[in-house]
Every structure is written in C-alpha cells, then in structure tokens.
Amino acid sequence: MSDTDPPKNEPESSAAKTSNPEDGLATQQATSGSGQRVKGAFQLNLDDALSPDPTNEDMYDVPDNKFAFSPGQLSKLLNPKSLDAFYALGGLAGLEKGLRTDRHAGLSTDESVLDGTVRFEDVAPQGVPKYGSNGDTVPMAKGEKANTTATTPAHRGGGQFADRKRVFRDNRLPEKKAKSLLELAWIAYNDKVLILLTIAAVVSLALGLYQTFGVPHEAGEARVEWVEGVAIMVAIIIVVAVGTLNDWQMQRQFNTLNKKAGDRTVKVIRSGKSVEISVFDIMVGDVMHLFAGDMVPVDGIFINGHGVKCDESSATGESDLLKKTAADDVFAVLDNVAKGGKPPADIEKLDPFIISGSKVNEGTGTFLVTAVGVNSSYGRIMMSMHTDQEDTPLQKKLNNLADWIAKFGGGAALLLFIVLFIKFLAELPRNNDTPDQKGQTFLRLFITSVTVVVVAVPEGLPLAVTLALAFATTRMMKDNNLVRVLKACETMGNATAVCSDKTGTLTQNKMTVVATTLGKSLSFGGTDAPLDEDEEKPAKAVEINIPNVTVGEFVKGLSTTTKQLLIQSNAVNSTAFEGDADGEKTFIGSKTEVALLTLCRDHLGAGPIQEERANANVVQVVPFDSAVKYMATVVKLPNGKYRAYVKGASEILLSKCTQLITDPASEELTSTAMTDDDRAVFSQTITSYAGQTLRTIGSSYRDFESWPPPELAGQQELTAAEFDKVHKDMTLVAIYGIKDPLRPTVIDAIKDCRRAGVTVRMVTGDNILTGRAIAKECGIYHPEEGGIAMEGPVFRRKSEEELKALVPKLQVLARSSPEDKRILVRTLKELGETVAVTGDGTNDAPALKMADIGFAMGIAGTEVAKEAAAIILMDDNFASIVKGISWGRAVNDAVKKFLQFQLTVNVTAVVLTFVSSVASDDEESVLNAVQLLWVNLIMDTFAALALATDPPSASVLDRKPDKKSAPLINTRMMKMIIGQAICQLAITLVLNFAGASLLGYDVNNALKHVREHEQERLRTLVFNTFVWLQIFNELNNRRLDNKLNIFEGITRNYFFIVINLIMIGGQVLIIFVGGEAFKITPLNGKEWGLSIGLGAISVPWGAFIRKFPDAWAEAMVPNIPRPHFWPFNRKEKAAHAKDEDVEQATSTSDDTGALKQKQRKRTLPADGEPGDHAFEPPLRTLTSLRGKRATSNIRRGFREYMHDQKLRVKDMAKEMSGSKSDVSAKVTLAAPVVAAPGLGRQVPEVAR
C-alpha cells in the first residue's frame, strides 16, 4: 500500500514534513504556523537555503576542495530536512555531478587522487548564492569551532579515495578512550575538600609522629598522637575508593554499548557492481542499497526504489513511518514551482531524505550518500557526547566552602599562634627552663595552633556526600531510576527546568483510536476543546448532538451485526498483519491501520486478523491511491450480494456518502438517507477532531447486486481511479479520531513538577500545532500565562540576547533539530538554571549529554540515548522523574543537615580550643588530641551515616528548588549553627572556668595527686558534656526548617536510631575504660546526670532558635565583607531576590497569577521550605492608616537613624551657610520608602 497524508503547511522553511506521510487515510487541518507564510502557499527560499548555522560554520571551509560542495553545504539538507537546500544543490543530478559519482555505477574502485575541480556554479541552479546569506564569502568558524576536527584535512597521502576522505572524512568516529582505575581514582581525589584534608592529615601525622617518638611520655601514658593523622588518611582513602569503584563499575557496564554497535557490512554499488563493504568504509558519493530492516548508517538522498518507508522516531522523534519519494520526481516538482508553476497540494510531503540512525521498515531502493562519520546527523550527535561532565552545583559549593574553611582555619591558627607566641615571649624573662625545654614549649604551642586547622576541617563531609549519594542511588533503583552518574541524583534535587521529548516520553509512541462517531447514533471521545489559536473561528458552528459515552458503553450499545461490520471494514480492508515485536504479539504496518485493528481486537472482540480475512470471501482489492486518498476491498456476502468497504480521508468519503447507518443496537443492519443537516454535523465532527490534532479516518460501504457492476464491466485489474466510477451512494459507517495518547501518569507528574517549582518544556520534532495541543493537554503549555510555542528554524536564528529574553517564556519548541535542543539547554544553563533533559531517541543524545541531568528511557530508549544519559528510567515513566527529584532533594537535605551539624561541632571546638589554650598556663586545650579525634572523626562518620540516610518526606516537593547561585549555608542553617555554638560554648566554658567553684572540685588542693585527679574529673565532665551536646544536637539537625517536630519520620530511618545507640554506647565505654588513652577518669551518677542534662539543653534551645525570626537574625549581623556563600550578604541576596522576581515575572510555571507573584516577592517563605530566602519582610498591614508624621518618624535601626540625623545636620548647616558645594545636601530620602520596615536599610547604602 502506498499512502500519503494530506499536507500541513509550515512557516519559513520548506522543510519536508516529519508528520505522517505513510498514512494517507488521515486528514488534519492545515495551518499557517506562525503566519510567516500565506496559508496553503509554498515558496522556494533559495537565498537562505545554504546559510551556515552558528553550529556548523566550521564545516564550510575546506582547503583545496575538488568537489562542488563542502560538508557544511551538504549538512543543510538535514537540519532539518530542507527542500530549499535540495533544490539549491541542483537536486540529484547536481549532487551526482558535484560529488563526482554516478547514480547507476557508483564510485569507481580505482579512484584515488582526483584531477581538476568541479565548481558550485556548474551544478547549482543559476543565481543560487553559494553560502546563502553569506553570498559567495566562505563562512569562518569562530571560537572553539575553529579548532574542530570535523573538517580537518586528513589522509594527505595517496590510497583509495584519498581526496574524498580528505574533504568528507570516512565513516568512523574518534574513539573515546575509557579511563583506567587510577585515572578514575585521581578524578575522585581531585576534590578541594579532600585536598584540604590531605594537607591537614600530613601536618597532623608529622607532628603526631614527632610527639609520639620525640617527646618524653609519663609511665603508662598512651603514645597515640599519630592516630589522628592516620585516621584522616583512612577517611580520605575510603571516600576515594568508594567513588572510584562506583565510577569504574558504571563505566565498565556502559562501555559495552559501544561494542554492540561494532562493525557490520552494507551493500553499495562500486564500478557498476553491488559489493559488500564494512560500514566504516562508506564514502560520500557512494550509491548504497536499502533493504527492509536496515539501520541506516549515513545521510543521503533517495535515488529510487519500491515502497520505501523509514521509521525515523529514534533520529527525529517523529513516530510515523515516512514514505520516501525519488529525488528526480521531487526536483521536477520544485523546478516547476521555481518557474512559476502552481505547487501540488502535497508538495511538503515529498521526502527524498535518508537520515542516519533511522530504520527501513518497508521496501527496497538505493540512495546517494551525502554525509558520513562526524559530518552525518548521527555522527554529529555522537561527537557532541564526547565532552566531560562539569562539576555539580553541590560540588562547586563544597569547593567554595573548602576554600573558606581553609582561610578561616588558617586565620584562626595564625591568630592563636601569634597570641601564644607573644605570651611565650612575654614570659621568657621569668622562664628558667633549659633551651631544650623552651624549644619543647615553643613546639607545643605550634602543635596547638595546628590542631585548630585540623579541628576546623570537616573530615566527615566528603563521606557524608558519598554515603548520601550511594544510599539514594540504591533506593532510587527500587523506584525504577538506574543512576549511571552517581552525583546526578544530587543535581536532580535542584533541577529548575525539565526539557522533555514528546514522542515516547510524554506520549506512548503508539497510535490509538481515541474518538469514534458511529452514524448519528453513538460516539465516544473527541470532546476536548479544539486548539484554534491560529485558526479563524467559523461564522456559524453547527451543534453536534450525537450522544457521547465512554468506550465501554459504546461497545455495549453495539449489536453483533454492527460489531462484525466494523471488524470487517477494518480487518479485511487493511494491509497490516500480525507479528512479533520484542517478544509480544502486535500488528505490523501503517500505524493508522494498526490503531484501527487494535480497537477491533481490544474492544470489539475481533479474532486473529488472518482468521477474519480467511472467513471473508474477498473478491477484489483496490490499493490505496494518494490521488483519491482511499482504499477499498470488495467481499462476497453469504446472501450472494457483494459489499465494497472503503476507508480513507474522512472528508472525501463523506462527500461520497448519501446514507448513514441507524440503530447500531439492532441485529439487522439498517440505514437512512443523509440530510444536509446530518452532513453539516459530520463535517463539524471532522473539523472538531482535526482541531484536537486527531488524525481522522472515514469508513463507508455499499452493497452491489453483482460484481463487477455494469459500470466496471470488463475491468480485470481495478485501480482507485476506475473504482471512483462506482464510489458514490455510499453508506457512512464511522469517523475515527486517532492520536498518540499521553502516558497515563504524565498529567499528575507535570502537576507535581509545577508544585515543586520545576518548569517543564516540550521539545519535539513534530509540527507546532500537534506540539501545542499535546503540551496543552498534559499541562505544559499555558498561553494565558505568557507561554510561547516556537519552531526550531526560527529559534536557532535568534541572537544570544534574544534567546536569553525568549527562553524563560518558551514552553514548546516544535520541529526541533538536535542542535536546537543543545542551544536551548545551553541557554538555560547560562541563565543559571539546573537543567534536566528527558528523551528516548538518538536525536536526544546531545541535549542529554549537555544537560546537568539526562534521563533516558530504559525500554524505548536507543543505546545512544542511554550512553548519553546520567539516569535511565527503567519503566519509561515520566512520573519516575518526580521520584528522582524527591530523592535528589533528600540528598541535598542530607548534606545540609550534616553540614549544619558538622560546622556546629567545628565552630565550637575551634573556639573552645582557642580560648582554653590561651587561658591555660601550659598552652593546652581543655579537649586533648585523642578526645578531639573521637569528637571530630568517629562522631562525624556516625553522624554522616545517621543524617545521610533519611528518606524523602512527602512535603519535599512543596518547596521551590535552590538556584545554582543560592548559598550552600542558608539563613536558617547559619542561625542554628551560631545559636547552638553559643549554647555549647557557654556551657563548656562555664564548666571549664567556673565548674570547680560551682561544683566543688578541689582543683587547688595542696596535694598534687588530689589536685590532678580533681582537674581530670573536671576535664572529663567538660568532655562528656560536650559529647552529649553533640548527640542531642544531632536530633535538632534532623530538620532544616523552622518547624518544631524534630522526631518526624524517625521510625522510618533505622540507621539513625542504631547509630545513635552506638554513639551513646561508645561514649559510655570511653568514660569508663578510656583511662590514660583519653586522659579521663570515670564519672559518678551525679556527674552523668549533669552531663546528660546539660547536653539535653540543646533541644529546647533549638526550638527557641527556630522560633527566633529569620529577619531578626539577619538584622543582627553587622554589614562587613563575608564569603560569597554566606547567607547574610544583603547586596548579593538583594540581587538574588531581584533575579528571582524577574524569573517569577517571566515564568509561567506557577499556578498563581501576577497578583500573587507580586505579593510573594516580599514575603518570607513558609515553614517547611529550607533553602536560601532573600529577606524582604512583609509590608506592615496598617501602614496606610498611619498619619504622615508617624510614617516619617518610624526608626529602622540605630545605624540608619544616626546616618539620617547626620544628613539632616549637614542639610541645616548648608542652609545656614548658604553653601552650594555640599554634595550631601542633594541626597534625599523618600518618606514612603522609610515607611516599609527593612527596606530602608538598603537606602542609606545608596546615599552613602
């Protein structure tokens, strides 16, 4: 069967359509796209046909080119498919001459170095500019493209096809070398936190070894000073080993993908003979055979053949089979148009393009190869994947944190060293020690200073990140998310944009009958509102009053006779057949026919199709003809009569019908005359279906007393043109509406994404009308909110500035090429978005690779897509992305929880070490090195396990994602860190300095052993209390928001409970048996009670901190320079808030309107929303009710008040002196601004 769809018109480019050219039974409304072409008119645009795109300028400049074309000019044939470019290159004859080949004989096997040159002007139509908009000027590659290898001259020597290989390359892609285990280990180690830890470990180990072996010890004293340095090194080794083995296992598992696509043979014509060659040896200019089932390895132009149809869904995203038209036939039509002739109605369905990565489903033929290797569509996609992944947002933030900690720790250590050194120098005159003892004292104060650096470095942080990611990865597998790149799940939590393919991702890639109108008695589906944005509404719409029911009720309302009529009209009058695909029984053939047969099988009770056909006495078959857009089958009925079933374009069949069936519930088939009103209703039904982007198919029949009838007497072979003589007085059976339906869970998943603040954009190779309709149906496209739908050829021509202004509003990108997706992803990333891309086809690979997170479909996805992706959705379910977002946020929260806990410990330990060392007579800290080892390493590791294993809560999607620019430590985290550090320092310092007098420890006893024992008891009490403060504070850190229930979901995390019990058990053991190693003594019951009681204070204190307003916390911080990740930076936060406001104004991802957006701009986030929130307090409710005097005298803070008074005094002085030189006199403050608390704080900054 050879069938063609009615045409759809497209704007701007004369690109060959990627909609359904194989299913001519269907009709859809033609649209004028975005209005850039007159509706229905086709025009050749040769001035722009060969213009270079910014992405392929490097392919135009080829030194010593002996052919008429460069790889760049040939690439314009398929980016997207362009009839303009095909004509501009002279059609098949021009390509044949320009590439110095022969369509019949192919390349000569004796070809080596070519003589002479073929000029572009000799083969192209007269007047066609050689480089499109560049005229005859060779485009020059810019920036990195200038160094690309795509057209780098190679094969300078002789050999077969030397010149051809030099200009067009061969069909090989540069191999991407796999990384060795050591290389992966080095990559894992190149983390700033690990490098900082290494420095701390080396210094600690060096000093520890010196203290262990170079300093005298008392009898029985443990020599364990070296342990801390070794322990840090062990932590580093564990982190690197876990990361390396994980990456190596993933690399080994997925490297097999490349081997599967290894060498294979193809058939080409060379020197007039068909020969088999390696797929790697195909040359531009080769004439290659096409057979059903072939995967096309190169790009080309179809020469001729029989019924060739290709499935390009994996290459372009289009789900329909595309019928290929001989290149000469296409050129003849285009040449007629160029000379002023009228274009045929289906001109844009003419498709002579063979695209690499597609599959030949039907037919045989030959094509002329125009692009191979890195210059082919498939090759460009594969090359774009050969890029290294950049750091994730969390990695970048942790690197910044590591820099700051190094500076903070180094600064604190230097300050402590200076203080202790000055103290040491001040005591020298009264120091009667020997020089050796003085040296030991100096070395001790140096070691104490270095200890501060070691304490400041968060050893457990890399481990917490790795554990959180590993735990999440394992659990995500249960949710059908196979994580290839470990850190992708962390990045997914903060995804702000998802660019999704349509076919196979949002839809099922399976054409389905979703609406049917049976006569005027019954119908189901097809009740959605039509998409008429670009269509003028008819002056008078006919009301459709046909009862509409569900599919189940529709089937129940049919008699056995009516069901048999529907089954026969579809099963007998069809060329599709049953077969196996991926181990399942299915139908094979035209996707429209497959949809109709599936309806018969699943709902009408049809038996096997072959059986239905065998039971019918088929007399004659009329093949499909695109000229009349229908096919017919004649069967002999049991009563001796003959019935002709006709199926095809619904509006054509309707025009041939004069009857329609009535009473489908009756066992006797009856019909009635079709009135003008009936005809108007059916026409409106067809229009309504088409407006919903349904493919409409009509079905009719007519009974004959004999066959052939008198009008066809003597006709043996019946064509559609002959059958047209009797194609009248038909009875209309049904009008079907067919579409590729959405996946069942897509609509809810997109709602969840919107709720989570994630903007979903559809990127599809389909036409803009279908793209908009599907996007509207699933909740992506919202034109009422300012959303934009655009086509790829228009999108890619925009400048960088235009793209950045356009992309925030873009919701649908139709007719997109792989390069358009890359441009979209790149622009979003430049705008600071964290981008996720979903897709299943080869065409999705470049964007999957470039995105922060790439999701490939595990079932329908191609191997190329899986290779490019970071996460594979094993169930092909878009809804699994939402689970990925939940787990990603759980990972981010786990890292932040641990960081909040870790920094509290470190800040407290650093300050405690600093203060107690300075105050000590012998420059020793209240917490010795071994005690700090327990606090700093063992508890860090345990805390990492406990806090990194919390599963995501149900409310995790109720907040917006963090921007890449958002600080790692937000306001609430810093409030908790500083608040808990103050509490812990107050308790430990009071115990250290006043504990003896408050608790009755006799630390000044005249007896040395009593005095030392009492001092040791006090130090043990301080140490025990400090540890219990950390244990209780770990409970506080289970929440990042300002809610009070710190025990929420604790029973779901057994790790947390078990690890805390281990920590408590370890602390009890240390106190009772730690002895000399920890320099402590066992405590009695009263001291244990005091330690635990004081430690428990951190829980109610944490509740108080949560209730302390964030705004007040910010207002209390002095305005001094701080690290850029610091949450209280007002200027940066104001800029960040401004960015968010702009984004909210342009984004359409929020369900609320503009008014709510404006209100939200100035409100603090609700509880339960961890993350950075720029502080802009709400306006006071009663501000407008206050008098002018009251509003102008509200004080906004002491510093601002004093500044205003100073300005006021200057103004008065100027008025008194009459001076006009005082610039400050010209600075004024607007009273209305003052009235808003908090806003006024920023105004004096400008005034100053």
Side-chain angles (χ1 to χ4, degrees):
M1 183 177 79
S2 173
D3 41 4
T4 310
D5 262 350
K8 294 190 192 95
N9 303 307
E10 295 187 4
E12 189 172 80
S13 172
S14 312
K17 285 300 294 178
T18 55
S19 56
N20 177 51
E22 108 275 9
D23 288 316
L25 310 177
T27 57
Q28 286 182 316
Q29 292 291 95
T31 69
S32 58
S34 51
Q36 295 172 6
R37 172 175 296 173
V38 180
K39 189 171 180 177
F42 173 90
Q43 296 174 344
L44 279 171
N45 179 11
L46 301 182
D47 292 337
D48 199 36
L50 301 180
S51 298
D53 291 326
T55 54
N56 67 359
E57 291 168 334
D58 56 294
M59 298 168 65
Y60 279 77
D61 186 16
V62 181
D64 190 23
N65 189 357
K66 296 183 178 181
F67 301 92
F69 312 119
S70 65
Q73 289 164 317
L74 294 172
S75 74
K76 292 298 291 184
L77 290 167
L78 290 166
N79 193 26
K81 299 175 182 177
S82 172
L83 293 175
D84 293 340
F86 174 66
Y87 185 79
L89 295 173
L92 181 61
L95 288 166
E96 183 182 8
K97 186 176 178 183
L99 295 176
R100 305 178 74 164
T101 183
D102 184 285
R103 72 178 74 183
H104 304 295
L107 296 177
S108 169
T109 52
D110 300 324
E111 180 186 319
S112 178
V113 178
L114 294 167
D115 297 324
T117 302
V118 180
R119 298 188 316 129
F120 176 83
E121 293 76 14
D122 297 336
V123 297
Q126 189 173 359
V128 174
K130 189 173 182 179
Y131 301 112
S133 57
N134 274 44
D136 292 332
T137 306
V138 180
M140 298 303 292
K142 302 179 185 71
E144 294 177 6
K145 301 188 194 96
N147 300 321
T148 185
T149 60
T151 54
T152 302
H155 309 283
R156 282 287 183 188
Q160 193 179 33
F161 305 121
D163 276 329
R164 204 171 289 274
K165 286 181 180 178
R166 176 178 61 81
V167 174
F168 299 112
R169 315 274 294 176
D170 56 16
N171 197 35
R172 282 182 172 83
L173 298 176
E175 287 189 11
K176 187 178 181 184
K177 186 183 174 185
K179 293 182 174 67
S180 67
L181 203 61
L182 285 176
E183 286 175 312
L184 291 171
W186 178 248
I187 291 169
Y189 176 72
N190 271 305
D191 180 281
K192 283 189 178 179
V193 178
L194 290 179
I195 292 170
L196 187 61
L197 278 174
T198 305
I199 296 169
V202 170
V203 173
S204 177
L205 181 62
L207 294 175
L209 289 172
Y210 172 79
Q211 285 180 288
T212 302
F213 302 107
V215 177
H217 288 66
E218 295 179 9
E221 186 179 359
R223 295 174 176 263
V224 291
E225 290 83 358
W226 55 272
V227 172
E228 184 162 4
V230 171
I232 297 175
M233 287 182 174
V234 169
I236 294 168
I237 291 167
I238 291 172
V239 170
V240 171
V242 169
T244 302
L245 291 174
N246 228 309
D247 290 343
W248 181 72
Q249 185 180 5
M250 291 171 185
Q251 177 182 273
R252 190 169 58 108
Q253 184 178 355
F254 286 93
N255 271 353
T256 56
L257 292 174
N258 290 331
K259 294 177 183 176
K260 286 180 183 176
D263 195 3
R264 59 189 173 98
T265 58
V266 293
K267 274 193 174 182
V268 299
I269 300 173
R270 288 197 176 162
S271 297
K273 296 178 182 177
S274 289
V275 294
E276 279 196 353
I277 62 169
S278 166
V279 72
F280 299 132
D281 295 333
I282 303 171
M283 295 285 124
V284 169
D286 260 324
V287 176
M288 186 172 160
H289 286 285
L290 289 171
F291 300 101
D294 282 356
M295 286 295 294
V296 182
V298 290
D299 295 336
I301 295 294
F302 184 57
I303 298 173
N304 54 40
H306 303 284
V308 174
K309 294 179 185 175
C310 293
D311 179 0
E312 298 178 357
S313 60
S314 70
T316 65
E318 174 50 53
S319 57
D320 296 319
L321 294 182
L322 303 180
K323 181 188 174 187
K324 300 303 172 182
T325 312
D328 282 341
D329 296 343
V330 177
F331 187 79
V333 173
L334 296 177
D335 196 43
N336 181 52
V337 173
K339 292 173 180 175
K342 184 181 178 182
D346 61 350
I347 186 170
E348 293 187 0
K349 297 296 176 185
L350 301 177
D351 185 0
F353 305 103
I354 305 294
I355 187 168
S356 52
S358 62
K359 182 180 179 181
V360 182
N361 270 40
E362 301 175 24
T364 59
T366 56
F367 75 100
L368 177 67
V369 177
T370 59
V372 298
V374 295
N375 295 328
S376 67
S377 304
Y378 181 84
R380 300 282 281 184
I381 288 170
M382 293 301 291
M383 288 304 295
S384 69
M385 293 161 52
H386 288 195
T387 55
D388 293 325
Q389 288 283 359
E390 58 189 41
D391 284 350
T392 64
L394 183 62
Q395 277 179 294
K396 292 175 181 175
K397 291 174 185 177
L398 289 175
N399 287 341
N400 292 335
L401 179 68
D403 290 341
W404 182 79
I405 287 175
K407 293 172 186 174
F408 172 76
L414 181 62
L415 180 61
L416 179 59
F417 177 75
I418 291 170
V419 171
L420 293 179
F421 186 59
I422 291 171
K423 184 180 174 185
F424 172 72
L425 293 176
E427 292 175 353
L428 271 181
R430 298 187 301 276
N431 192 335
N432 299 320
D433 291 343
T434 63
D436 183 54
Q437 290 173 326
K438 289 177 183 177
Q440 291 288 348
T441 305
F442 175 79
L443 190 60
R444 188 168 61 245
L445 65 90
F446 178 71
I447 290 169
T448 303
S449 301
V450 171
T451 304
V452 171
V453 179
V454 177
V455 168
V457 176
E459 298 96 310
L461 186 56
L463 188 61
V465 175
T466 304
L467 286 172
L469 291 171
F471 179 74
T473 302
T474 307
R475 296 292 292 271
M476 282 173 74
M477 189 62 199
K478 295 180 182 177
D479 288 336
N480 295 307
N481 285 281
L482 171 61
V483 180
R484 281 195 56 204
V485 180
L486 189 62
K487 289 173 181 175
C489 51
E490 165 256 309
T491 314
M492 191 61 218
N494 288 328
T496 57
V498 176
C499 299
S500 174
D501 185 32
K502 175 181 75 71
T503 307
T505 306
L506 296 171
T507 66
Q508 298 175 23
N509 196 13
K510 186 169 64 177
M511 300 304 288
T512 306
V513 177
V514 296
T516 299
T517 298
L518 183 66
K520 62 177 184 179
S521 309
L522 207 55
S523 68
F524 72 85
T527 56
D528 295 338
L531 184 77
D532 13 285
E533 295 166 9
D534 294 334
E535 302 289 336
E536 292 184 6
K537 294 187 179 180
K540 184 180 178 183
V542 178
E543 185 180 350
I544 300 173
N545 51 13
I546 301 171
N548 192 278
V549 296
T550 63
V551 183
E553 291 171 342
F554 177 87
V555 174
K556 286 179 184 176
L558 304 180
S559 66
T560 306
T561 305
T562 307
K563 286 181 184 177
Q564 193 58 35
L565 175 71
L566 293 174
I567 291 170
Q568 273 217 338
S569 64
N570 287 317
V572 176
N573 191 25
S574 173
T575 58
F577 56 92
E578 284 182 299
D580 288 325
D582 299 326
E584 293 183 6
K585 283 279 186 184
T586 185
F587 298 109
I588 298 170
S590 154
K591 292 191 178 182
T592 299
E593 293 192 334
V594 166
L596 292 169
L597 292 176
T598 304
L599 173 73
C600 295
R601 182 191 64 191
D602 294 349
H603 296 290
L604 301 178
I609 297 304
Q610 294 305 113
E611 191 177 301
E612 294 287 349
R613 288 174 181 164
N615 292 337
N617 187 359
V618 178
V619 176
Q620 190 130 32
V621 175
V622 181
F624 178 83
D625 188 337
S626 59
V628 293
K629 292 186 172 56
Y630 63 77
M631 66 178 294
T633 302
V634 182
V635 299
K636 186 175 183 180
L637 300 176
N639 61 9
K641 291 186 177 183
Y642 295 86
R643 178 171 292 167
Y645 292 110
V646 182
K647 180 174 67 179
S650 49
E651 73 279 2
I652 292 176
L653 263 64
L654 179 62
S655 68
K656 304 288 186 181
C657 290
T658 57
Q659 302 277 318
L660 57 91
I661 64 169
T662 57
D663 194 11
S666 170
E667 290 297 334
E668 185 178 346
L669 196 61
T670 59
S671 63
T672 185
M674 184 184 294
T675 65
D676 290 341
D677 288 343
D678 293 338
R679 194 176 300 278
V681 167
F682 292 126
S683 293
Q684 181 63 27
T685 299
I686 294 169
T687 304
S688 172
Y689 282 4
Q692 299 167 53
T693 70
L694 304 185
R695 187 171 295 161
T696 59
I697 305 292
S699 176
S700 64
Y701 77 93
R702 178 183 169 188
D703 289 344
F704 295 88
E705 293 296 328
S706 63
W707 193 266
E711 298 95 325
L712 301 177
Q715 294 285 345
Q716 296 298 320
E717 289 295 325
L718 199 60
T719 63
E722 296 293 334
F723 181 81
D724 216 36
K725 295 175 184 177
V726 295
H727 190 204
K728 56 188 176 182
D729 300 326
M730 306 293 291
T731 301
L732 181 68
V733 177
I735 297 170
Y736 301 100
I738 301 174
K739 73 181 294 187
D740 185 3
L742 293 177
R743 292 182 178 275
T745 53
V746 160
I747 293 176
D748 288 337
I750 288 173
K751 283 180 182 175
D752 287 339
C753 286
R754 285 169 64 84
R755 179 164 60 92
V758 181
T759 304
V760 182
R761 292 176 175 85
M762 178 195 285
V763 186
T764 176
D766 213 334
N767 66 82
I768 194 164
L769 181 66
T770 305
R772 277 195 309 225
I774 299 293
K776 214 169 187 181
E777 183 183 353
C778 62
I780 291 175
Y781 183 46
H782 296 274
E784 71 281 1
E785 296 178 1
I788 293 174
M790 183 174 282
E791 291 193 326
V794 181
F795 177 78
R796 79 174 70 107
R797 296 292 175 87
K798 300 290 184 184
S799 66
E800 291 290 327
E801 293 72 21
E802 288 174 321
L803 284 173
K804 287 182 179 177
L806 169 79
V807 163
K809 303 174 189 175
L810 184 71
Q811 293 175 344
V812 180
L813 184 61
R815 279 193 58 225
S816 65
S817 69
E819 207 53 52
D820 297 329
K821 290 188 179 184
R822 289 191 68 202
I823 292 169
L824 175 60
V825 172
R826 188 197 70 216
T827 307
L828 283 168
K829 290 178 75 174
E830 287 173 356
L831 289 170
E833 303 273 1
T834 301
V835 188
V837 170
T838 71
D840 60 348
T842 301
N843 63 314
D844 298 319
L848 286 170
K849 192 70 176 179
M850 177 177 274
D852 295 295
I853 321 100
F855 283 91
M857 300 295 150
I859 300 170
T862 61
E863 299 302 309
V864 178
K866 293 176 187 176
E867 171 74 16
I871 299 176
I872 295 174
L873 301 177
M874 302 305 291
D875 58 352
D876 282 17
N877 194 341
F878 186 88
S880 296
I881 294 170
V882 178
K883 295 176 183 175
I885 294 173
S886 297
W887 273 107
R889 293 190 175 185
V891 168
N892 278 290
D893 286 355
V895 172
K896 288 187 173 183
K897 288 173 187 176
F898 176 78
L899 193 59
Q900 184 173 291
F901 173 78
Q902 171 78 74
L903 291 181
T904 304
V905 178
N906 288 10
V907 168
T908 308
V910 167
V911 175
L912 193 60
T913 302
F914 189 104
V915 173
S916 59
S917 299
V918 171
S920 168
D921 291 336
D922 50 6
E923 289 83 32
E924 285 187 354
S925 168
V926 64
L927 300 176
N928 62 45
V930 183
Q931 290 170 357
L932 281 173
L933 175 64
W934 165 249
V935 172
N936 225 31
L937 182 64
I938 308 300
M939 284 187 63
D940 286 355
T941 307
F942 284 155
L945 278 166
L947 293 171
T949 51
D950 263 343
S953 62
S955 61
V956 77
L957 293 176
D958 291 336
R959 67 175 195 251
K960 305 299 179 192
D962 291 341
K963 303 284 275 183
K964 285 181 181 177
S965 56
L968 180 61
I969 304 168
N970 59 49
T971 302
R972 288 171 181 159
M973 289 174 66
M974 188 54 74
K975 185 176 70 172
M976 185 62 70
I977 291 167
I978 294 174
Q980 287 290 349
I982 290 171
C983 172
Q984 293 180 13
L985 284 170
I987 291 171
T988 50
L989 289 174
V990 166
L991 281 177
N992 185 50
F993 293 110
S997 56
L998 290 174
L999 302 175
Y1001 290 118
D1002 190 6
V1003 294
N1004 296 317
N1005 193 289
L1007 296 173
K1008 183 180 177 183
H1009 70 278
V1010 174
R1011 183 172 67 249
E1012 287 181 349
H1013 177 69
E1014 291 293 290
Q1015 288 173 344
E1016 194 169 49
R1017 279 182 64 199
L1018 179 59
R1019 283 197 297 270
T1020 305
L1021 179 64
V1022 173
F1023 167 62
N1024 197 31
T1025 304
F1026 183 79
V1027 170
W1028 279 100
L1029 280 166
Q1030 311 315 320
I1031 292 172
F1032 281 104
N1033 189 37
E1034 193 182 4
L1035 284 171
N1036 270 323
N1037 287 291
R1038 291 195 69 251
R1039 288 204 86 103
L1040 290 170
D1041 54 30
N1042 283 338
K1043 292 183 180 177
L1044 298 179
N1045 184 8
I1046 57 176
F1047 299 101
E1048 183 182 351
I1050 196 169
T1051 55
R1052 291 190 300 134
N1053 188 358
Y1054 296 110
F1055 275 102
F1056 187 89
I1057 298 170
V1058 170
I1059 288 166
N1060 272 278
L1061 290 174
I1062 292 172
M1063 287 166 61
I1064 291 169
Q1067 180 63 14
V1068 171
L1069 281 174
I1070 285 170
I1071 295 299
F1072 281 106
V1073 299
E1076 278 302 317
F1078 282 83
K1079 296 182 181 175
I1080 54 177
T1081 186
L1083 300 176
N1084 58 33
K1086 173 188 169 185
E1087 290 163 336
W1088 269 105
L1090 186 63
S1091 298
I1092 296 172
L1094 289 173
I1097 289 175
S1098 66
V1099 174
W1101 179 250
F1104 170 76
I1105 293 170
R1106 285 188 166 89
K1107 286 300 177 185
F1108 191 83
D1110 294 350
W1112 293 8
E1114 289 196 346
M1116 291 170 65
V1117 177
N1119 194 12
I1120 56 175
R1122 306 175 199 87
H1124 61 274
F1125 65 83
W1126 185 267
F1128 301 140
N1129 280 2
R1130 290 192 182 88
K1131 290 181 181 178
E1132 289 189 16
K1133 286 178 70 97
H1136 182 60
K1138 184 178 178 182
D1139 291 341
E1140 288 186 347
D1141 291 346
V1142 171
E1143 180 194 351
Q1144 285 178 352
T1146 55
S1147 172
T1148 58
S1149 64
D1150 206 340
D1151 292 322
T1152 57
L1155 177 63
K1156 288 186 179 179
Q1157 286 184 354
K1158 288 179 182 176
Q1159 291 172 342
R1160 190 171 58 253
K1161 279 161 56 177
R1162 298 192 45 80
T1163 57
L1164 283 171
D1167 283 349
E1169 294 185 10
D1172 180 53
H1173 302 291
F1175 165 57
E1176 290 209 9
L1179 292 167
R1180 296 184 64 148
T1181 309
L1182 299 176
T1183 297
S1184 59
L1185 303 180
R1186 296 168 182 261
K1188 182 179 179 182
R1189 181 168 170 271
T1191 55
S1192 61
N1193 284 281
I1194 294 174
R1195 295 186 184 178
R1196 299 149 294 135
F1198 181 74
R1199 290 177 67 249
E1200 286 75 12
Y1201 174 72
M1202 292 303 296
H1203 178 70
D1204 293 348
Q1205 294 303 314
K1206 186 167 74 172
L1207 286 179
R1208 186 164 157 267
V1209 171
K1210 285 185 178 182
D1211 288 344
M1212 291 173 61
K1214 187 202 78 164
E1215 289 172 6
M1216 292 173 65
S1217 63
S1219 170
K1220 295 184 181 180
S1221 61
D1222 189 356
V1223 178
S1224 66
K1226 298 178 183 178
V1227 180
T1228 58
L1229 294 176
V1233 178
V1234 179
L1239 288 180
R1241 294 186 64 87
Q1242 298 171 11
V1243 178
E1245 297 286 348
V1246 178
R1248 279 196 292 268

